[in-house]
């Protein structure tokens, strides 16, 4: 009986580790769901871009039409969205599916979001398990999972219907391959490894071009020029396969990409000076998430120390250290390139999602380097690992305060949107309705989706749904459109509005002052994020309390 006790204790320990490796992804899944709930409906001002555009382009695929939103290019999300919609509408014709989606777009967006979150949940569990069973190190497995719950933006990203959740999924698969190469290099033949790396990288590029700097990781990890050339060729072929649905629009993709490369402004605009204010932009980018920047710095130190040790030679762990240090160096170069690429076009932490998704691998590699260097004592190695875990927990607690702040802000936005909607319905329901960018309106959210996927396809349905007195003001061109996409004369329509017209959307102040339509408003209601501009009437009611759910 006594000889069974050690085995029983070992099984209990392994069971506890397995539960932990389930708990971390489940926490990610639950908390991202909380954030999604607090953000409110997808048609709210800060939620419909790009969600409705991707939903309507998925609908294009179902109707055998080419997606029109291809700049990212985002093709993998188009396809995933189409698959989810078809699974929810089995046996229905394309026309019936289109009618169902247009009648309840929120339901289908929620289903796509849930699918993205489940895919990330499963991938994180598999990554932790693979890492544990290959390295036999619970600390390494926990480290490779933990950062995903230690950065506030990961919860926000996973609550959206955008390319970012798919990027997180893709880099998680890449991390799994890397762990396999480090832990069991003989398991994968060179041919199989090249296939896997090429497919994962091609998928990442087809999802969003911000994945491109991550190619540095496999390029450094592979050891021969031939392997690297085959990898790049395979990646290009995989990217072409994953983007076949947008083949007729490759010209648009190439034009967009070319402008991004040669122009210094946002979204491929500005002067053709390639780059401007790089160093100040880089400083801003590094401050997007200081803890992640510090983690990259720690990896850089680990790489330097590892290279120095390898230069000295000797030691029974040289081969292991060589494999780990090669991967660490590739990841460090990928992270530096990612920071540099975003510094060229700063604007959103979303652009750093690929290296955020690899932050777990970064932490695990730092621990592996330390373990392979000069720490013969198991107790010392475990202590170092626990210190890294404690550091992540401490960072996570700070990030959770950011999450709580975001949740509070989301509630305030929903309250303000509900107040504005109540005001519009009570005082201005009989007025001509004109919506512009960032209007919390189901009509505008659907029109936005149609605008980026083909107004000619979905505009008539939107117009019949919301009536002939609903119009849409495109701020970038300063033109007015009907729901069917027909340009309308703004002064003429306002003159026929029976004395009352409202504009709803982002206030025409600050940077948006240049988008103000050429008419004189009589009053303005609402707050700083969203406002009603009124012609022919005054705002009589004070804003009351309410929350959109």
């Amino acid at each position: 009986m006594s000889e069974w006790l050690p085995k029983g204790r070992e099984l209990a320990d392994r069971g506890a580790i397995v539960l932990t490796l389930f708990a971390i992804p489940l926490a990610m899944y639950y908390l991202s769901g909380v954030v999604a709930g607090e953000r409110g409906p997808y048609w709210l001002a800060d939620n419909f871009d790009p969600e409705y555009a991707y939903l309507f382009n998925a609908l294009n695929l179902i109707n055998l039409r080419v997606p029109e939103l291809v700049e990212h290019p985002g093709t993998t999300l188009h396809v995933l969205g189409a698959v989810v919609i078809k699974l929810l509408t089995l046996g229905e014709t394309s026309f019936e599916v289109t009618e169902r989606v247009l009648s309840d777009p929120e339901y289908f967006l929620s289903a796509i979001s849930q699918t993205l979150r489940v895919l990330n949940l499963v991938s994180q569990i598999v990554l932790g398990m693979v890492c544990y069973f290959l390295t036999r190190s619970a600390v390494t497995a926990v480290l490779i999972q933990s950062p995903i719950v230690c950065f506030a933006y990961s919860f926000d990203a996973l609550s959206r219907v955008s390319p970012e959740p798919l990027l997180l999924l893709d880099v998680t698969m890449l991390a799994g391959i890397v762990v396999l190469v480090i832990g069991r290099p003989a398991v994968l033949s060179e041919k199989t490894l090249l296939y896997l790396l090429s497919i994962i990288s091609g998928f990442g590029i087809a999802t969003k071009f911000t994945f491109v700097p991550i190619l540095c990781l496999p390029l450094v990890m592979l050891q021969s020029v031939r392997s690297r050339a085959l990898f790049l060729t395979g990646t290009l072929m995989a990217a072409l396969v994953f983007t076949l649905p947008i083949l007729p629009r490759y010209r648009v993709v190439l034009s967009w990409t070319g402008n991004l490369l040669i122009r210094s402004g946002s979204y491929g605009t500005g002067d053709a000076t390639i780059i401007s204010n790089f160093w100040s932009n880089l400083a801003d980018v590094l401050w997007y998430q200081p803890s992640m920047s510090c983690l990259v710095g720690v990896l850089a130190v680990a790489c330097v120390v590892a290279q120095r040790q390898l230069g000295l030679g000797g030691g029974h762990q040289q081969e292991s250290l060589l494999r780990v240090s090669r991967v660490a160096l590739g990841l460090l170069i990928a992270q530096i390139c990612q920071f540099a690429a975003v510094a060229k076009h700063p604007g959103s932490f979303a652009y750093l999602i690929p290296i955020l998704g690899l932050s777990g691998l970064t932490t695990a590699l730092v621990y592996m380097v330390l373990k392979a260097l000069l720490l013969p004592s198991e107790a010392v190695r475990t202590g170092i690992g626990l210190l890294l875990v404690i550091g992540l927990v401490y960072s996570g607690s700070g990030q959770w305060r950011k999450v709580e702040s975001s949740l509070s802000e989301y509630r305030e936005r929903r309250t303000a949107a509900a107040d504005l909607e109540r005001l519009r319905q009570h005082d201005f329901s009989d007025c001509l309705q004109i919506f512009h960018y960032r209007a919390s309106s189901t009509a505008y959210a659907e029109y936005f989706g149609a605008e980026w996927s083909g107004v000619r396809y979905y505009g008539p349905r939107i117009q019949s749904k919301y009536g002939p007195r609903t119009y849409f003001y495109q701020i970038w061109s300063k033109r007015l459109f009907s729901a069917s996409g027909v340009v309308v004369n703004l002064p003429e329509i306002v003159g026929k509005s029976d004395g009352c017209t409202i504009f709803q959307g982002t206030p025409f102040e600050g940077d948006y002052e240049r988008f103000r339509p050429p008419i004189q408003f009589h009053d303005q209601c609402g707050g700083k994020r969203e406002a009603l501009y009124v012609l022919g009437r005054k705002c009589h009611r004070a804003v009351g309390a309410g929350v959109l759910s």
Side-chain angles (χ1 to χ4, degrees):
M1 175 73 79
S2 60
E3 64 186 24
W4 294 351
L5 292 177
K7 291 184 178 180
R9 192 175 300 114
E10 182 181 348
L11 287 174
D13 290 342
R14 287 193 177 185
I17 291 168
V18 169
L19 286 175
T20 301
L21 297 179
F22 269 83
I24 294 171
L26 284 170
M28 172 201 73
Y29 176 81
Y30 170 75
L31 293 172
S32 62
V34 171
V35 172
E38 292 294 346
R39 288 186 70 93
Y42 288 102
W43 52 263
L44 287 181
D46 296 285
N47 297 353
F48 63 71
D49 182 3
E51 276 76 354
Y52 269 79
Y54 278 105
L55 177 68
F56 279 52
N57 278 283
L59 207 50
N60 274 356
L61 285 179
I62 290 173
N63 287 281
L64 302 181
R65 292 192 292 262
V66 179
E68 297 199 10
L69 177 63
V70 298
E71 288 82 356
H72 290 143
T75 317
T76 54
L77 185 55
H78 296 149
V79 173
L80 177 68
V83 170
V84 172
I85 292 170
K86 285 299 290 182
L87 288 175
L88 293 172
T89 56
L90 287 175
E92 299 184 24
T93 66
S94 296
F95 176 80
E96 291 170 335
V97 172
T98 301
E99 287 297 303
R100 279 196 60 186
V101 172
L102 292 179
S103 63
D104 191 6
E106 292 288 312
Y107 169 73
F108 291 94
L109 281 169
S110 296
I112 296 169
S113 176
Q114 183 78 353
T115 302
L116 290 168
R117 289 171 54 228
V118 168
L119 288 173
N120 275 279
L121 168 67
V122 173
S123 69
Q124 285 291 322
I125 291 174
V126 171
L127 175 63
M129 293 299 179
V130 167
C131 185
Y132 174 62
F133 287 110
L134 287 178
T135 64
R136 296 296 177 185
S137 169
V139 173
T140 306
V142 169
L143 287 173
I144 207 167
Q145 282 186 334
S146 295
I148 198 70
V149 295
C150 292
F151 293 111
Y153 188 77
S154 62
F155 304 127
D156 191 72
L158 288 168
S159 71
R160 308 298 302 266
V161 178
S162 67
E164 279 67 37
L166 279 180
L167 284 178
L168 287 173
L169 174 67
D170 195 54
V171 295
T172 299
M173 292 189 291
L174 178 59
I177 299 299
V178 169
V179 170
L180 191 58
V181 169
I182 294 173
R184 296 286 191 277
V187 171
L188 295 177
S189 66
E190 182 186 26
K191 184 177 180 180
T192 303
L193 177 62
L194 287 172
Y195 275 134
L196 291 173
L197 290 175
S198 297
I199 291 170
I200 290 171
S201 299
F203 184 94
I205 292 172
T207 300
K208 198 166 185 178
F209 286 133
T210 51
F211 181 88
V212 169
I214 304 302
L215 297 180
C216 295
L217 171 56
L219 283 172
V220 174
M221 191 170 70
L222 297 169
Q223 298 184 30
S224 69
V225 174
R226 175 181 173 276
S227 295
R228 291 164 183 158
L230 288 173
F231 162 69
L232 289 175
T233 303
T235 296
L236 178 61
M237 292 176 64
L240 289 173
V241 170
F242 284 120
T243 56
L244 278 178
I246 62 168
L247 181 62
R249 290 183 60 78
Y250 270 13
R251 184 186 297 273
V252 175
V253 177
L254 293 174
S255 174
W256 163 266
T257 308
N259 284 329
L260 281 179
L261 291 173
I262 67 173
R263 298 188 182 276
S264 57
S266 300
Y267 306 114
T269 60
D271 298 327
T273 55
I274 299 182
I275 196 167
S276 61
N277 303 319
F278 176 78
W279 294 110
S280 62
N281 289 348
L282 181 61
D284 292 339
V285 170
L286 292 173
W287 278 103
Y288 280 174
Q289 194 69 260
S291 55
M292 191 171 72
S293 301
C294 290
L295 185 59
V296 174
V298 172
L299 180 65
V301 173
C303 286
V304 171
V305 175
Q307 292 301 317
R308 182 177 181 277
Q309 181 65 27
L310 288 169
L312 295 175
H316 66 284
Q317 291 187 323
Q318 286 293 96
E319 184 180 347
S320 173
L321 180 59
L322 180 61
R323 287 199 304 270
V324 174
S325 64
R326 183 184 292 276
V327 172
L329 181 61
L331 183 55
L332 177 63
I333 293 172
Q335 291 168 328
I336 291 172
C337 291
Q338 188 92 59
F339 280 126
V342 177
K344 183 181 186 307
H345 293 288
S348 172
F349 184 71
Y351 301 154
L352 293 176
I353 274 291
I355 60 173
L356 182 149
L358 288 171
S359 57
L361 180 61
T362 303
T363 312
L365 285 173
V366 169
Y367 177 62
M368 289 179 187
V369 169
L370 291 174
K371 195 163 77 167
L373 276 174
L374 47 115
L375 302 173
S377 167
E378 180 65 29
V380 174
R381 291 200 298 266
T382 303
I384 293 294
L386 289 175
L387 283 176
L388 287 170
V389 171
I390 291 170
L392 287 172
V393 171
Y394 177 77
S395 171
S397 64
Q399 292 297 309
W400 180 245
R401 287 192 289 272
K402 290 186 178 180
V403 172
E404 289 181 322
S405 176
S406 295
L407 295 179
S408 177
E409 183 180 346
Y410 293 150
R411 294 185 198 106
E412 291 175 2
R413 291 180 188 178
R414 286 161 49 210
T415 300
D419 292 339
L420 204 61
E421 177 67 12
R422 190 178 300 105
L423 180 63
R424 184 174 67 83
Q425 292 291 345
H426 186 276
D427 287 1
F428 307 108
S429 60
D430 59 325
C431 296
L432 188 74
Q433 314 278 314
I434 300 177
F435 299 102
H436 61 274
Y437 191 62
R438 296 299 186 193
S440 292
S441 156
T442 55
Y444 185 78
E446 291 174 27
Y447 179 78
F448 176 84
E451 192 175 29
W452 283 97
S453 58
V455 174
R456 59 194 179 278
Y457 305 130
Y458 308 112
R461 176 68 174 80
I462 295 172
Q463 185 157 356
S464 66
K465 185 176 180 180
Y466 295 101
R469 290 175 61 78
T470 299
Y471 293 88
F472 304 95
Y473 176 65
Q474 189 185 74
I475 59 174
W476 295 277
S477 65
K478 301 180 75 170
R479 294 190 298 175
L480 189 68
F481 291 86
S482 67
S484 57
V486 176
V487 178
V488 180
N489 183 280
L490 178 58
E492 181 180 336
I493 287 295
V494 170
K496 296 178 180 179
S497 63
D498 298 327
C500 178
T501 302
I502 63 164
F503 278 70
Q504 180 178 343
T506 304
F508 296 118
E509 300 169 0
D511 291 340
Y512 275 76
E513 179 67 37
R514 67 184 188 276
F515 301 132
R516 180 183 287 269
I519 53 178
Q520 185 65 41
F521 296 111
H522 297 148
D523 204 354
Q524 176 181 345
C525 330
K528 295 181 179 179
R529 300 187 66 85
E530 189 177 357
L532 287 179
Y533 289 88
V534 187
L535 280 164
R537 198 173 293 179
K538 293 288 186 179
C539 299
H540 300 299
R541 297 178 68 240
V543 172
V547 177
L548 284 171
S549 59

